[in-house]
Amino acid sequence: MTLTINAPRLWNNLMQIANIGGTPDGGCDRQALTDTDLSGRELFIDWCVQVGLKISYDAVGNMFARLDGQDNSLSPIVLGSHLDTQPTGGKYDGILGVLAGLEVVRCIREAGIKPNRPVEIANWMNEEGARFAPAMMGSGVYAGMLDLAQVRDAADKEGITVGQELDRHGYSGFADPTGKDIHAYLELHIEQGPVLEQTEKTIGVVTGAQGIRWYDVSIRGQEVHAGPFPMGMRRDPVAALPEIIAGVLEIGRTDEHARATIGQIDTCPGSRNVVPGQIEMSIDLRHPDEAVLTSMNERLEAILASVMDDHKGLKFDLNQIWHSPVVDFDAKLVKAVLNGALEHGCSHLNIISGAGHDALMVARKAPTTMIFIPCKDGLSHNPAESATPEHVGAGANVLLSATLELLN
Amino acid sequence: MTLTINAPRLWNNLMQIANIGGTPDGGCDRQALTDTDLSGRELFIDWCVQVGLKISYDAVGNMFARLDGQDNSLSPIVLGSHLDTQPTGGKYDGILGVLAGLEVVRCIREAGIKPNRPVEIANWMNEEGARFAPAMMGSGVYAGMLDLAQVRDAADKEGITVGQELDRHGYSGFADPTGKDIHAYLELHIEQGPVLEQTEKTIGVVTGAQGIRWYDVSIRGQEVHAGPFPMGMRRDPVAALPEIIAGVLEIGRTDEHARATIGQIDTCPGSRNVVPGQIEMSIDLRHPDEAVLTSMNERLEAILASVMDDHKGLKFDLNQIWHSPVVDFDAKLVKAVLNGALEHGCSHLNIISGAGHDALMVARKAPTTMIFIPCKDGLSHNPAESATPEHVGAGANVLLSATLELLN
């Protein structure tokens, strides 16, 4: 018999916690380590304690709710995500992964299953990075990608630091976050993209995450008056844009998984009757295969070299300012998610994560995967963020199945 | 015998008036109707009175210094420009045209010439538009292009109006500016462009001024995350830029007189990992032939129509926000300037004005032309604005010759 979660209970929990920091437009403002975030945590703790889970914390404010196993010396299976939101966030981003984890644990208890190892629900501190940068802070410290001392110095715009808030809430004395041992990590999340909705699939079997390379491009020419200066005497950086833009977007068509985005173009001084002296632009390249991403980088360098050749009067700088390598999720866990989708008769699609998630940090230390469900119009970080009760229930059922498979 | 001006005297006058509002970096700050502007006017009046000229004003603060002719019922030949500067202005822009006019009149007197009609020097109020917008204010009111009552309401950033300043300085009671009758108007000016310097010519014989069309272009797509959104599902306004930019710059290569400038490109929201939802850009098209400018406008409309066809997922707006028609200078006056360059053995070039000048306003009511001399690196509106004593002297000699020809 296939065990299923209590879908209405999970949905009611999602709606109930959304009232904490709820905004008139139906969104949520529960930024990390605020009093509102603490109220959200307390409600979650209440629910956990009601089913007999043990709550623990680490020194960066990550929290874990534990269902003991038959052998508590074994490392736990962890289900989780984050309860913090953007200032204009929605009801699902992060929250779904935590509350679905709780629902899975409830079902395991109610079914009378005594797991061989502990099962925990994780609420990672400050995934959003809205109040304190960078994002994925708690999971980043756990994974050793961020340093606790540095993270404690991060300040919000009013000058309050993470360290002050951790002290105020009593988290600072807890264990070193990097000491935690995780057997397997599973995170259910809304897709934050349009693919599942547009292909009418219920479950995204997430096989990994894109590698990302960020670049700054600077083009310097000569700032002159739009009237007197003949075209032939100009050193107009705008003239180099068509070749760069067309080339970059073409890199984005390398294959169906490639992405290329020019999010910022700034013309300086930005006056309508002045030929710009300088242009600054951003380039974001992504691919789930590190070798392909490397070749995309090489194509970008070749394009810039060619543009420089064609525009000898201009000066160019291409600086890669960030490189986040590809993350491949654990094959055994990915298979467990696929089996869960099959077991519950859910339509499904292999998919790549394009946004940042705690799972991308956790994956650096522990076997990890994610489950995606559709969200309306691919919209997220927005009060209009929306998912259906059917998809939420399906995602939690797949999480339950995968957890049970991993417990066997 | 060819009459010549006293070049060192003119140069000394230029350097002397530059001390009024002089800035430590060698520039000038003598904004319209300030006490500093008034001090500059007073020094100029002193010089005029020393050679027996009569000073008059109109109700917008334009001032005229008059050398009587044999028949004072005839309308005057007017030589002029403006004594006001940008806040970070130079020593030559405008000032040269006024002081060279004074030098020409001095020479006429010293040569014992009694002109058949009056010769006047004009100092037009607020050409720069730096303290009060718009620019070319005094000459604009004279030409009937601006309304005196509206101009009086223009306020500087401290809320002081042109009307208050005209009252304070005692100009408001003088004659209606539009009543003035001008037989011919000649303005000597630095080029504010690079053509004369780069072609090594001393005199620009200015045949007219560019017509200008200004446009706002708006491209609207869909703001989505740079990671999850597949390229094929995006409506990215950046994708339309190569075709628009390349097309606009190609319009600028219609012929050697055409100009096309994209001075502003704004990506909204302008975040490096967000596909812009919207792009706003400016387009500035110029040509000295109105028919060609019209055809450039048609080409721009055709480019936009083609881009719209190629990008059906995007919404485009093309709005012409300003059209300043071509100005053709008076053929007889242009010929007089050419003859002057020939008489003084100056290398010369026919040239089109690409910047705004009082002469462009005056030309709408009276026969008008301009004389350009080179300025270093085409630089203006800058403390580093620079012209050589040789070029200043040559320009004033050509102004003298042209004036004498027009008096015959």
Side-chain angles (χ1 to χ4, degrees), chain B residues 125-310:
Chain B
M125 192 280 286
N126 186 29
E127 192 272 348
E128 294 291 358
R131 182 180 175 200
F132 303 108
M136 297 173 277
M137 187 175 268
S139 52
V141 172
Y142 153 76
M145 303 300 292
L146 296 175
D147 178 68
L148 178 57
Q150 284 181 3
V151 153
R152 286 181 58 91
D153 288 340
D156 67 11
K157 61 187 173 192
E158 281 158 11
I160 301 170
T161 65
V162 168
Q164 287 171 321
E165 288 293 67
L166 292 173
D167 292 350
R168 180 168 79 94
H169 298 311
Y171 295 134
S172 299
F174 289 110
D176 173 4
T178 64
K180 187 166 187 73
D181 202 10
I182 294 179
H183 177 67
Y185 177 73
L186 292 163
E187 182 167 347
L188 172 64
H189 209 282
I190 55 170
E191 181 197 341
Q192 302 182 285
V195 177
L196 294 174
E197 184 181 50
Q198 296 209 9
T199 57
E200 297 185 347
K201 304 293 183 189
T202 298
I203 296 296
V205 179
V206 190
T207 57
Q210 298 166 335
I212 307 174
R213 287 175 183 261
W214 278 357
Y215 306 85
D216 281 343
V217 176
S218 162
I219 318 172
R220 292 184 306 288
Q222 188 187 17
E223 180 184 325
V224 297
H225 192 297
F229 253 79
M231 301 299 283
M233 290 185 188
R234 296 185 182 189
R235 295 191 285 120
D236 181 356
V238 175
L241 284 183
E243 203 175 336
I244 296 176
I245 294 171
V248 167
L249 296 184
E250 188 59 36
I251 292 174
R253 288 184 281 269
T254 299
D255 62 31
E256 61 171 323
H257 300 299
R259 308 278 188 271
T261 302
I262 296 173
Q264 292 177 293
I265 303 173
D266 288 323
T267 45
C268 317
S271 169
R272 71 169 61 243
N273 59 349
V274 176
V275 176
Q278 187 158 347
I279 291 177
E280 304 288 341
M281 63 194 292
S282 68
I283 296 175
D284 173 317
L285 298 182
R286 304 189 183 208
H287 202 281
D289 181 323
E290 197 65 39
V292 180
L293 187 59
T294 301
S295 78
M296 290 165 69
N297 174 67
E298 285 159 6
R299 281 179 66 186
L300 178 62
E301 288 173 352
I303 287 165
L304 261 289
S306 159
V307 172
M308 286 166 79
D309 239 32
D310 294 346

Side-chain angles (χ1 to χ4, degrees), chain A residues 245-259:
Chain A
I245 294 172
V248 167
L249 295 185
E250 188 58 36
I251 291 174
R253 288 185 280 267
T254 299
D255 61 32
E256 61 171 322
H257 300 298
R259 306 279 188 271

